[in-house]
Amino acid sequence: MICQTCQTAIQTTFVEVLTFDLSSSHTTETRNPFESRVLHSTPYSLYRSVAAACLICCSVWVSDLKERKRHVPGIGLEQLLEGRFSQTYEEFRNLSLDDSPAAEHVPNSIKDGDSGQPWVSFWAEPFMEEIHFVTRLQVLDIRFDQCLRLPDVGPHFSISAPCNINGRSTARSASLWTHWLRTCSESHVKCRITAQQQQSFVPKRLIEILDTGRQPVDSDRYEWRLVHDTGVGVVPYVTLSHCWGTSEHLILTAENYSELMEVSPDTLLPKTYRDALRIATSLGFRYIWIDSLCIIQGDEDDWKAQSSKMGLVYSTAWCNIAATWAKDVADGCFSDRTPDVVDPVFKSDLTVWTTFYRMTLTPGPSFDEDVTHAPLNKRAWVIQERYLARRQLMFSKRQVYWECWELCASEQFPRGTEQLPRGMPMNVQSAHIPTAKPSMEVSAWSLNQVWKTLVDLYSACHATRNSDRLIALAGLAGIVQQTRGAADEYLAGLWKKNLRTQLCWRADERAVNRSRILPYIAPSWSWASLDGPVILDDCYVYLFDDYAALADVAEVHVDSSDDTKLHSFTGSKLVLRGIGIWARPVPLTSGKGVSETEEGYELQGHDGNIVNTHVTIFWDENMSRADDRGWSTDINESRTQELLFMCVSSCGDDIYGLVLRKSSFSSSQGSYVRIGAFTRGFSLIIRIAKKLGFDRDERTNSFVNSTEGTKAPFYNMAVDLEDARLADLAHTVTII
């Protein structure tokens, strides 16, 4: 536990540090939070806190005893924190004021009595994210994980003081979220301009929230009915993002369609829907779109028609209500909490250093924990919903958050926070509230970075139906397509422009279960064919100085049954010409320098000789599955046969390429299927260089043409694949 003395002192200091402006002048009346201040003014004050097992005070006292090499049986941090403290005050005082050499540093006023100089003092250091507690020779370093200051970050940076949160439920914050919406609608220039540019649209079906006039204004009981767009016209509405979960709940079907158009009590709805009706009403809206009640479930034609408009549904809604914390529709949007969850709190883990203790002080909830990694944001559909929504109201377990084009805020920081300076540590970045919601409003030159971020994030999300994976991304892909224009083409998760730099995506090896999505939704060379998280090649965003192309895309196209060609892909063809070798991967034995997370292999050629000493392979799948396209066979069998290691590019001493297997599907004879990606392969670079007349300079670790004195051609330039000297290494393959 933390005693009240420490809680009050540190929380007060934390707020003062956050709001203190270092760049302005201060009068004597202005308190400087970086000045030393008293924690315990007498030994008896410290004694009481130690006896109460305060984590900080026990650490201060024990660390001081250790510094003076006082080893007292039964007195250790663990024993004190467990409440096993039996010393009287006189014993405590005598231990603290002994005749050891260190005692001479204790002020005489403290030796002589219990008043005078502070017994324990502490101070906060600017730009150091920490508070120091000093007792004689010993320092206890308590770190502010979310203190938003660092050295050398440029202009002064500060944020408003955290607000105290009152109320046991997030439902009690209605006045705040209505204030956010009103402020956004009336005074946010960018939000107003975006609203004016929106096309007139209303979903085919909406839920109308009825005011019967029989309940008091603050009642949470409502009536509702299903309505058609033709009956209501273009009306303002809100949407709901939520996890369905596993509980049974009311859905729209062909059988109950007419019934749901009649007035019904909200008691028929699950808690998340009832809460959403209450939130929509508090914001001043009579209409809400909820997927399970506005799309006919089990009707494939209606699903295709409505899902293709999902981007419009969310982008033209006035606000999206997100049940961020709830795993099931039975959980609701609102959650109970204790008010102290958003105040600075302490983690009790102590890191012991040679001369001091360090503990972590975490002031309130983390944005990443509350929002980014919440159950809702693990759903594939929600990525598009969040990016496209104009505004979003997010209900986390501990507090309510707001996002729009100009502001991200929370109950703790209702006015938001400023942009973080560059160089802030990751723990600060993850805790910090962004300054605006994520969006697709980016310039053409930054689209590659945005798309890579989307793919890395989206591929880690779960889709109830794998057939929806590219449909749920179609709205965002369509925006990118509009920005890129006719100069580019969407290829089932990848883009035709700079396709080569996208081909060497790799499966995230930390994923436990990875397999191809069946039935077919994307070609094997696209990340979208894999059910699991992937990481796009960094070369798609940054072309490094020593990047070189080792393959050319000769032909590529995808077939789609959808007019937009953004989803519903039925087939594809990728013709790749590049340098490759046929080899059988042989796992490296232990002790050859491969880390635990990598799968290292030697490549064994036709004659059994090792043609490459070390490559790292990232296998696409780690589960065996079979399908009628001949894509998947037994994984162990496919990994032990002879495979084509197709080089795509090189960067420095590493080669990046695809691991290909011949397709066993009858109509695709002569075609190949991607089963993984590989890297390293420095021996391949040496082999290519030697064929082109280059020798390795051991002193500079580079390749030099002895006659011309030039560097190897695969440093920052393309290899000529038609060079006769590479005839035995150049391959042209069709990948499906």
Side-chain angles (χ1 to χ4, degrees):
M1 58 86 72
I2 306 296
C3 68
Q4 189 60 49
T5 300
C6 290
Q7 287 193 41
T8 301
I10 298 176
Q11 291 181 13
T12 301
T13 303
F14 172 70
V15 173
E16 291 179 2
V17 168
L18 287 180
T19 57
F20 185 69
D21 189 349
L22 289 172
S23 63
S24 62
S25 59
H26 297 276
T27 64
T28 55
E29 290 78 17
T30 305
R31 181 180 180 87
N32 186 337
F34 305 113
E35 293 178 346
S36 178
R37 64 186 74 193
V38 176
L39 182 67
H40 293 288
S41 60
T42 66
Y44 186 68
S45 174
L46 178 61
Y47 169 76
R48 287 190 305 175
S49 293
V50 170
C54 171
L55 175 63
I56 293 175
C57 298
C58 288
S59 301
V60 168
W61 190 51
V62 170
S63 63
D64 177 61
L65 292 179
K66 285 184 177 180
E67 180 70 19
R68 292 185 288 118
K69 297 180 173 55
R70 292 298 308 272
H71 302 290
V72 182
I75 296 181
L77 185 60
E78 183 177 351
Q79 291 89 343
L80 294 181
L81 295 180
E82 291 176 354
R84 290 184 277 151
F85 178 67
S86 58
Q87 276 70 25
T88 65
Y89 172 63
E90 286 303 318
E91 292 171 329
F92 168 85
R93 194 169 183 277
N94 290 335
L95 283 171
S96 304
L97 298 174
D98 62 6
D99 296 328
S100 66
E104 65 187 42
H105 297 281
V106 180
N108 290 328
S109 57
I110 293 183
K111 291 181 181 179
D112 298 336
D114 288 355
S115 61
Q117 295 295 323
W119 179 259
V120 178
S121 61
F122 73 98
W123 70 88
E125 282 196 5
F127 304 124
M128 291 302 291
E129 298 186 274
E130 57 196 32
I131 279 185
H132 292 301
F133 287 79
V134 175
T135 171
R136 298 192 200 91
L137 306 178
Q138 189 58 44
V139 174
L140 174 66
D141 172 356
I142 298 186
R143 180 167 294 277
F144 279 137
D145 266 9
Q146 297 177 29
C147 185
L148 305 180
R149 294 179 177 274
L150 269 189
D152 303 325
V153 294
H156 167 70
F157 173 78
S158 65
I159 63 175
S160 301
C163 292
N164 292 325
I165 309 302
N166 299 312
R168 288 294 304 273
S169 171
T170 52
R172 306 298 297 175
S173 302
S175 60
L176 180 57
W177 68 63
T178 55
H179 166 75
W180 282 330
L181 178 65
R182 182 173 61 254
T183 302
C184 176
S185 303
E186 295 176 355
S187 60
H188 288 178
V189 175
K190 185 175 181 180
C191 296
R192 289 171 60 86
I193 292 175
T194 303
Q196 294 169 0
Q197 294 173 343
Q198 290 283 358
Q199 66 182 92
S200 296
F201 173 82
V202 68
K204 183 175 182 178
R205 306 178 189 95
L206 287 168
I207 297 300
E208 183 180 15
I209 308 169
L210 301 172
D211 180 10
T212 63
R214 295 193 298 270
Q215 297 99 359
V217 175
D218 61 351
S219 171
D220 58 357
R221 298 297 182 191
Y222 300 93
E223 292 180 337
W224 60 277
R225 67 182 176 187
L226 180 70
V227 295
H228 284 268
D229 56 345
T230 54
V232 299
V234 178
V235 293
Y237 67 94
V238 295
T239 51
L240 174 67
S241 289
H242 68 287
C243 294
W244 282 35
T246 57
S247 62
E248 294 187 4
H249 60 278
L250 183 65
I251 59 175
L252 176 63
T253 65
E255 290 73 25
N256 67 4
Y257 197 102
S258 299
E259 180 183 345
L260 295 193
M261 294 188 69
E262 302 295 329
V263 177
S264 302
D266 66 353
T267 53
L268 296 178
L269 301 175
K271 189 174 187 305
T272 297
Y273 294 3
R274 297 199 304 272
D275 289 350
L277 265 58
R278 176 177 174 180
I279 297 165
T281 303
S282 71
L283 292 172
F285 295 95
R286 288 180 54 199
Y287 298 95
I288 184 171
W289 188 91
I290 302 175
D291 54 2
S292 65
L293 296 178
C294 295
I295 299 177
I296 303 174
Q297 306 302 309
D299 186 326
E300 198 64 27
D301 291 338
D302 191 64
W303 163 250
K304 289 181 179 179
Q306 302 309 313
S307 63
S308 64
K309 299 177 182 177
M310 208 77 80
L312 275 175
V313 169
Y314 282 90
S315 63
T316 56
W318 270 71
C319 183
N320 183 46
I321 300 167
T324 307
W325 74 276
K327 297 180 180 179
D328 193 286
V329 290
D331 294 335
C333 296
F334 307 130
S335 63
D336 292 332
R337 65 183 177 202
T338 55
D340 61 335
V341 299
V342 290
D343 288 333
V345 295
F346 295 90
K347 294 178 180 178
S348 59
D349 55 310
L350 281 174
T351 302
V352 181
W353 298 73
T354 55
T355 59
F356 60 88
Y357 285 96
R358 169 167 291 169
M359 78 174 64
T360 301
L361 170 66
T362 302
S366 156
F367 182 82
D368 270 5
E369 184 180 350
D370 275 357
V371 176
T372 307
H373 302 304
L376 179 64
N377 288 315
K378 295 177 183 177
R379 285 189 59 233
W381 277 101
V382 171
I383 303 298
Q384 177 173 266
E385 294 166 6
R386 185 180 178 197
Y387 268 77
L388 295 183
R390 293 154 55 186
R391 309 174 180 96
Q392 179 152 277
L393 192 59
M394 299 174 289
F395 291 83
S396 78
K397 185 67 176 176
R398 296 182 287 193
Q399 61 176 323
V400 183
Y401 291 84
W402 167 268
E403 287 184 333
C404 67
W405 303 119
E406 292 191 23
L407 174 70
C408 278
S410 67
E411 292 178 79
Q412 190 181 21
F413 295 101
R415 293 178 297 279
T417 60
E418 297 179 20
Q419 182 68 45
L420 278 177
R422 296 183 62 182
M424 299 301 280
M426 289 305 297
N427 59 343
V428 176
Q429 295 182 38
S430 65
H432 183 62
I433 302 174
T435 56
K437 68 176 295 296
S439 74
M440 298 299 292
E441 286 199 353
V442 293
S443 57
W445 67 267
S446 62
L447 275 179
N448 288 8
Q449 175 65 71
V450 171
W451 189 254
K452 174 176 165 44
T453 301
L454 273 176
V455 170
D456 292 351
L457 181 66
Y458 183 80
S459 62
C461 293
H462 171 71
T464 305
R465 303 193 318 174
N466 275 327
S467 58
D468 293 348
R469 290 192 72 86
L470 285 176
I471 299 177
L473 191 61
L476 297 176
I479 293 176
V480 175
Q481 180 74 80
Q482 291 175 6
T483 305
R484 293 185 184 275
D488 209 347
E489 180 183 351
Y490 186 58
L491 301 171
L494 304 179
W495 296 91
K496 189 171 184 178
K497 188 176 181 180
N498 299 321
L499 178 60
R500 181 180 55 239
T501 61
Q502 302 166 66
L503 291 175
C504 290
W505 57 266
R506 61 180 175 87
D508 189 335
E509 62 272 16
R510 293 170 297 179
V512 178
N513 298 316
R514 307 188 305 273
S515 62
R516 295 289 178 195
I517 294 176
L518 303 173
Y520 178 96
I521 66 166
S524 68
W525 44 267
S526 170
W527 61 266
S529 66
L530 196 66
D531 183 9
V534 302
I535 302 171
L536 278 190
D537 191 342
D538 286 338
C539 289
Y540 181 53
V541 180
Y542 314 102
L543 271 185
F544 302 96
D545 291 340
D546 51 1
Y547 174 88
L550 300 179
D552 291 327
V553 176
E555 179 186 351
V556 63
H557 70 82
V558 293
D559 302 318
S560 171
S561 61
D562 180 71
D563 292 339
T564 65
K565 296 190 180 301
L566 297 175
H567 58 83
S568 304
F569 298 100
T570 57
S572 71
K573 181 180 181 181
L574 169 64
V575 179
L576 198 64
R577 179 162 176 78
I579 294 174
I581 61 169
W582 282 98
R584 190 185 309 275
V586 179
L588 285 171
T589 57
S590 60
K592 291 206 176 182
V594 182
S595 71
E596 294 180 359
T597 59
E598 294 180 339
E599 294 200 47
Y601 294 83
E602 294 176 328
L603 300 186
Q604 190 177 77
H606 291 289
D607 54 5
N609 293 324
I610 299 300
V611 298
N612 193 279
T613 55
H614 183 192
V615 295
T616 299
I617 299 178
F618 302 96
W619 301 106
D620 291 348
E621 301 180 87
N622 60 6
M623 296 174 60
S624 296
R625 297 185 66 176
D627 73 295
D628 59 359
R629 288 178 176 262
W631 276 16
S632 303
T633 59
D634 179 83
I635 284 182
N636 292 328
E637 178 185 344
S638 67
R639 294 182 182 180
T640 56
Q641 62 182 270
E642 195 172 54
L643 303 170
L644 180 59
F645 288 78
M646 193 74 172
C647 303
V648 175
S649 64
S650 71
C651 190
D653 291 340
D654 290 334
I655 281 181
Y656 298 86
L658 308 179
V659 184
L660 306 176
R661 167 179 70 77
K662 287 184 177 179
S663 172
S664 57
F665 192 41
S666 58
S667 65
S668 302
Q669 290 299 320
S671 298
Y672 292 80
V673 174
R674 171 187 157 137
I675 62 172
F678 75 94
T679 186
R680 300 205 179 181
F682 186 60
S683 297
L684 289 177
I685 294 181
I686 296 176
R687 186 174 177 181
I688 298 169
K690 286 185 176 180
K691 281 184 171 290
L692 296 175
F694 289 82
D695 294 317
R696 184 184 180 192
D697 186 336
E698 298 292 344
R699 294 172 302 172
T700 62
N701 199 29
S702 61
F703 296 94
V704 178
N705 188 307
S706 57
T707 59
E708 300 177 12
T710 57
K711 289 185 177 181
F714 40 81
Y715 283 130
N716 199 27
M717 35 190 320
V719 172
D720 182 5
L721 297 173
E722 304 308 318
D723 192 312
R725 293 171 292 181
L726 299 176
D728 62 330
L729 293 179
H731 297 266
T732 301
V733 295
T734 299
I735 312 173
I736 59 173

